[in-house]
Amino acid sequence: MIVNKLIIKNYRNFKEAEADLNDSLNIFIGENGQGKTNLMESIYIASIGRTFRLNSESELINFSENKSSLEIHLTKNNYKIKIEIQLEKNKKKQVFINGVKLDKTSEMIGILNNVIFTPDDMKIIKGSPVERRRFINIDISQIKPKYKYLLNKYKRVTTERNMLLKNYHTRCENKDIIGIWNDYLVNTGTEITLYRNEYINKLKKYSTDIYFSLTGKRERLDISYYSNIGPVTDREEVKKLFYEKIKKNFTNEVLRGVSLYGPHKDDLIIKINDKECKYFGSQGQQRSAILALKLAEIEIIREEAGEYPILLLDDVLSELDNKRKTYLIEHIKGMQTIITSTDDYELNSLTKDFNKKLFYINEGKISSILD
Ligand SMILES: Nc1ncnc2c1ncn2[C@@H]1O[C@H](COP(=O)(O)OP(=O)(O)OP(=O)(O)O)[C@@H](O)[C@H]1O
Ligand SMILES: [Mg+2]
């Protein structure tokens, strides 16, 4: 899959902008605050239908406008595909694929696969388990359409079950129906747990090798899945453990009025040389661990979708030492990549022998410099 063209209208600080992309490397240079991350975000939205930043949809529309649109032209298995996204203040976003309006945004997932790496991704290591679950959820959703459905269902189940737990002693009918909600919780929660376990095992397989090479065979990265249900094996065993947990801790759940066990409490444990990276990793080691996870993600998407995703590297090179920069640049050869940076000198010398296209971004305007 190759992204050929972007047309951006009234999106963030872009009024009208267009870019014809090269099928390998595309470098976007711009000073701070000119629109580099906004550009990355526009491609990301065409991939999964929402932003990676903490904005509401209407905040994506240019401050002085009411409507915005994004058009992404891509080639996939020799077919031309046009993804269009229309945003309008106080209205639901509309997505069109080759002119046909989608009923649900989730239907667009899987058309344009992407892996994005931004300085903000450090929160995957430094942040709370919520950040790591978010990372895992977005990744799995891109390759397993059913997963997103399960997550939404699980959220509804826990909300409903928590209500029942809160009013357990005051509403006697709750005693009759809690069993049904326990079944929903265990059944949906088990499926999510199994999807995560499978994904994390793959992530572990690829990221360990990548990190080992990245550090010149000096350091070992080890990631593992933490579930408060217990060790994850097969479906029946997970269900059995899950039922045991909620049975044993039911009084406590009623007392607290919340569901205490299940994938909403999961975490991803990231260790370097057997020490937890969050607490003992240096800044550079933490960055490298994220880089290894992102590069592993690329391999998983290639394995699942049969083609490489587009790689979005937002201003991350400056954060890596020379060896790691070179490793990253060598690693992305052959993948369609968009890199942003404030400095063209270093990027140009690192990618001397690449087939590439260079753009400048200035005050939301894109200009192509050379082919
Ligand atoms: N809805 C909006 N309408 C107009 N401008 C916006 C909107 N949302 C954000 N901006 C502006 O877009 C500008 C560019 O933001 P962006 O994050 O893309 O910069 P950048 O080039 O990535 O900068 P840096 O190098 O600092 O990361 C910012 O000044 C921001 O205020
Ligand atoms: Mg930026």
Side-chain angles (χ1 to χ4, degrees):
M1 179 215 60
I2 296 292
V3 176
N4 306 111
K5 192 184 185 76
L6 310 171
I7 305 175
I8 305 173
K9 287 202 182 108
N10 299 330
Y11 183 84
R12 298 269 197 191
N13 69 330
F14 293 100
K15 283 283 186 177
E16 282 198 28
E18 258 190 58
D20 287 305
L21 300 183
N22 181 329
D23 57 11
S24 45
L25 183 62
N26 298 275
I27 300 176
F28 286 80
I29 304 292
E31 290 175 2
N32 296 135
Q34 302 304 307
K36 299 183 300 299
T37 303
N38 294 345
L39 175 95
M40 293 297 202
E41 187 186 36
S42 71
I43 302 171
Y44 185 88
I45 289 184
S47 171
I48 67 159
R50 58 190 183 86
T51 171
F52 54 86
R53 296 200 277 198
L54 295 172
N55 291 91
S56 69
E57 256 160 36
S58 60
E59 287 167 337
L60 308 176
I61 303 170
N62 185 276
F63 293 142
S64 53
E65 302 289 338
N66 290 316
K67 281 185 187 176
S68 162
S69 70
L70 301 172
E71 229 180 79
I72 312 268
H73 296 252
L74 50 106
T75 313
K76 198 177 168 91
N77 304 325
N78 290 326
Y79 285 106
K80 299 271 177 217
I81 300 178
K82 181 168 87 173
I83 303 175
E84 260 179 287
I85 297 175
Q86 293 179 1
L87 301 166
E88 190 171 345
K89 271 192 184 140
N90 307 318
K91 286 209 173 144
K92 245 184 102 198
K93 157 184 75 217
Q94 297 197 315
V95 182
F96 300 83
I97 306 291
N98 288 347
V100 179
K101 185 171 170 285
L102 300 186
D103 291 332
K104 283 192 250 149
T105 305
S106 59
E107 291 171 24
M108 74 193 293
I109 291 172
I111 298 177
L112 197 180
N113 288 316
N114 86 97
V115 169
I116 187 163
F117 184 23
T118 78
D120 220 24
D121 285 328
M122 282 294 271
K123 64 179 182 229
I124 297 171
I125 301 234
K126 291 184 171 177
S128 69
V130 176
E131 301 292 348
R132 287 179 286 284
R133 287 196 293 271
R134 189 164 175 262
F135 162 66
I136 294 293
N137 286 343
I138 292 173
D139 282 9
I140 305 177
S141 301
Q142 267 202 77
I143 48 176
K144 304 279 186 195
K146 195 176 168 208
Y147 184 74
K148 187 91 186 89
Y149 159 82
L150 286 169
L151 282 180
N152 290 337
K153 186 169 169 189
Y154 188 75
K155 207 169 160 193
R156 289 198 304 274
V157 170
T158 46
T159 308
E160 191 65 31
R161 188 171 181 270
N162 291 350
M163 288 290 288
L164 289 176
L165 292 170
K166 266 191 200 95
N167 305 311
Y168 193 72
H169 291 303
T170 50
R171 299 182 59 184
C172 46
E173 67 268 29
N174 287 6
K175 295 189 175 64
D176 302 327
I177 53 173
I178 190 78
I180 301 169
W181 290 94
N182 287 348
D183 292 345
Y184 283 147
L185 184 85
V186 169
N187 288 333
T188 321
T190 298
E191 292 313 308
I192 292 173
T193 303
L194 293 174
Y195 270 114
R196 287 185 180 168
N197 190 48
E198 188 193 346
Y199 187 79
I200 292 167
N201 280 337
K202 284 186 180 165
L203 205 56
K204 177 188 172 77
K205 182 181 92 182
Y206 287 117
S207 63
T208 307
D209 289 349
I210 292 169
Y211 191 83
F212 198 52
S213 311
L214 184 66
T215 57
K217 305 190 174 176
R218 278 184 307 180
E219 295 173 16
R220 261 178 309 106
L221 176 73
D222 184 23
I223 64 161
S224 55
Y225 180 19
Y226 168 78
S227 158
N228 75 356
I229 302 166
V232 182
T233 50
D234 59 78
R235 181 173 280 106
E236 289 319 308
E237 188 59 25
V238 173
K239 277 192 185 175
K240 196 175 126 227
L241 289 175
F242 207 157
Y243 274 119
E244 279 171 14
K245 282 280 181 198
I246 55 177
K247 192 171 169 206
K248 199 168 158 209
N249 296 283
F250 191 66
T251 318
N252 200 11
E253 285 194 318
V254 171
L255 202 69
R256 307 264 300 269
V258 283
S259 303
L260 295 172
Y261 292 88
H264 60 293
K265 297 285 183 187
D266 281 353
D267 203 354
L268 180 69
I269 311 295
I270 304 169
K271 288 184 180 173
I272 292 176
N273 292 344
D274 299 325
K275 298 272 184 300
E276 203 161 333
C277 191
K278 180 175 180 173
Y279 304 113
F280 301 105
S282 74
Q283 189 87 347
Q285 284 175 318
Q286 293 182 345
R287 280 200 187 106
S288 307
I290 298 287
L291 178 59
L293 291 181
K294 295 284 168 173
L295 296 179
E297 201 185 327
I298 293 173
E299 297 306 325
I300 298 172
I301 292 181
R302 188 193 46 81
E303 190 183 305
E304 296 276 336
E307 58 179 11
Y308 276 113
I310 181 169
L311 180 59
L312 309 172
L313 301 175
D314 189 20
D315 220 352
V316 288
L317 274 190
S318 57
E319 311 222 325
L320 301 167
D321 67 26
N322 284 337
K323 258 196 208 145
R324 286 163 211 220
K325 271 180 206 165
T326 312
Y327 179 90
L328 173 61
I329 294 294
E330 282 305 313
H331 204 91
I332 61 172
K333 255 189 185 155
M335 254 177 264
Q336 191 182 23
T337 305
I338 297 186
I339 302 190
T340 66
S341 176
T342 49
D343 166 31
D344 57 351
Y345 177 75
E346 188 186 30
L347 252 178
N348 259 328
S349 67
L350 275 166
T351 58
K352 268 197 302 287
D353 55 339
F354 275 63
N355 164 20
K356 65 189 168 200
K357 201 164 170 180
L358 185 64
F359 300 86
Y360 281 103
I361 298 193
N362 188 32
E363 292 182 356
K365 292 190 180 69
I366 301 173
S367 47
S368 158
I369 299 302
L370 52 102
D371 283 67

